[in-house]
Amino acid sequence: MDARTSSGYGNRSRGGIHSVLDVETALAAADIAARLRDRVAAGERICGPAASRVLTSAAQTPRFEGRIVPKTFAKKAVDFLAQDGFVLFDNPDAFLICAFKRDNALCEPDPGATAPRQYDCRPSCGNTVRTDTYARLLRERADEIDKPAAYAPAPIGKRLRTNADQLRSTADAHDAAAQSAEALA
């Protein structure tokens, strides 16, 4: 492969694969907003420091419905992702949604970043929101952790049970604090 060929795919310039990634990221964020909008309309509750911002973002983000993406959409995707505090990122590993705003982010993003470091998501961040769905998934994960704890050696079993209890406690805190969209408006 010639170096000129590979530079269009993965170098640090904004051409090549980077514009494709921006488009895919923007489409994924629009999908997250649409799904959240639908779930909230169906009565799902949310809680977290960014709850009102997330609801506003979900209401204002256009829905992508599978049409063909023209070449000009890459610029629109970059502009959409540059809206600090408006773009939603789903983090199923942390059981959270992030309304990424660089100034609030505890994940320590690079200067000029348009997305959070999802591997370093922190529940106490000012950008986070948890939904009823994630509270349910926290409890399911706690149950999964509890099963092997009964058969594990004592120190490991204790650690697993402590982790499961923390997950249930987080879900209980969500249940106590969660509000409907109407209550947050």
Side-chain angles (χ1 to χ4, degrees), residues 23-163:
V23 168
E24 291 298 322
T25 302
L27 293 175
D31 185 51
I32 292 163
R35 283 186 286 138
L36 181 63
R37 185 171 46 239
D38 293 344
R39 291 193 330 241
V40 167
E44 185 149 1
R45 299 172 310 140
I46 65 171
C47 74
S52 60
R53 188 162 31 106
V54 164
L55 289 175
T56 300
S57 175
Q60 294 177 357
T61 300
R63 185 181 295 266
F64 176 76
E65 297 192 352
R67 63 191 160 131
I68 295 175
V69 178
K71 270 180 119 173
T72 58
F73 191 75
K75 172 70 172 120
K76 291 178 183 177
V78 170
D79 293 343
F80 174 72
L81 293 173
Q83 297 179 46
D84 197 31
F86 186 76
V87 182
L88 303 183
F89 295 90
D90 193 12
N91 191 342
D93 294 329
F95 302 99
L96 294 168
I97 293 174
C98 176
F100 181 66
K101 188 171 187 174
R102 276 184 302 284
D103 294 343
N104 294 355
L106 295 179
C107 62
E108 300 177 10
D110 294 330
T114 58
R117 291 182 184 208
Q118 290 190 303
Y119 60 85
D120 195 19
C121 187
R122 300 183 193 175
S124 59
C125 181
N127 293 335
T128 61
V129 168
R130 182 165 282 120
T131 64
D132 287 341
T133 299
Y134 277 138
R136 179 182 48 78
L137 292 172
L138 280 165
R139 287 188 179 87
E140 289 175 9
R141 179 70 180 131
D143 293 343
E144 289 173 13
I145 291 172
D146 262 346
K147 289 177 187 175
Y151 304 104
I156 294 172
K158 182 180 178 185
R159 217 173 305 140
L160 290 170
R161 283 187 290 281
T162 299
N163 190 9

